Amino acid sequence: MKRKSKILAVFLVLFSINFNYCQGVNPEIAVQSATVNTGQSADISFRSNNGEFWNIWQFNGTITWDPTVCTFNGFTSAQLFQMSLANFDTTLVSNGVLIWAWTHMISIGQSVPQGDEIFTLNFRALGSAGASTSIGFANSPQALYWNNFAGWSG
């Protein structure tokens, strides 16, 4: 009985170390920068910035920018299976807000290696010469959220 207790204790310690390590999964997203003249368009890529964007089956968020400087011009491409313009709510783009919600049809999800495109959007410059804006993320109206097949989310 004592031997079984030791084996069980070792298993529990190893399991908890592995579980705690894996809970540290935190995908990062890098947003490409671009410099264009007024009236010109630019494709802005949103890329995996670390090796932890794996087996993602749900991915939602909000992208923001200054609408006096640029406007959303359209969806260009995506590495996420079946992601298209239909995954984006464009009702607030005149306010500089774009919401997306994507769910993979297979629960094991999809991986995007570090440096690879997640999706690319097109923006057109509106502002006067020298104007600039950050294209980034906000937690409202849709918080940045992901979920992978193992049940980890963030």
Side-chain angles (χ1 to χ4, degrees):
M1 183 68 163
K2 193 171 190 174
R3 187 168 196 274
K4 286 184 181 179
S5 296
K6 278 186 179 179
I7 291 172
L8 180 60
V10 169
F11 173 75
L12 289 174
V13 168
L14 291 175
F15 179 75
S16 65
I17 289 170
N18 187 39
F19 183 73
N20 288 334
Y21 173 75
C22 293
Q23 282 294 317
V25 173
N26 189 21
E28 294 177 8
I29 305 165
V31 182
Q32 174 190 353
S33 64
T35 302
V36 297
N37 294 321
T38 300
Q40 290 183 318
S41 295
D43 284 336
I44 305 297
S45 292
F46 295 75
R47 298 183 172 275
S48 171
N49 200 36
N50 61 11
E52 297 183 357
F53 202 95
W54 56 276
N55 295 108
I56 302 295
W57 67 268
Q58 185 178 29
F59 185 45
N60 308 322
T62 301
I63 299 167
T64 60
W65 64 90
D66 181 344
T68 65
V69 176
C70 69
T71 187
F72 175 70
N73 212 29
F75 173 84
T76 304
S77 62
Q79 290 296 322
L80 297 177
F81 180 69
Q82 293 186 332
M83 183 178 232
S84 68
L85 183 58
N87 295 103
F88 293 85
D89 178 351
T90 60
T91 58
L92 298 173
V93 295
S94 63
N95 298 323
V97 176
L98 181 65
I99 303 162
W100 85 89
W102 172 83
T103 303
H104 197 283
M105 299 304 290
I106 302 170
S107 62
I108 195 165
Q110 181 177 350
S111 299
V112 179
Q114 182 173 356
D116 281 8
E117 171 200 48
I118 300 168
F119 57 82
T120 300
L121 305 174
N122 187 272
F123 291 85
R124 185 171 45 86
L126 300 175
S128 57
S132 67
T133 184
S134 293
I135 297 174
F137 303 103
N139 279 321
S140 178
Q142 170 65 56
L144 184 59
Y145 178 80
W146 59 271
N147 198 334
N148 77 1
F149 83 103
W152 303 325
S153 59

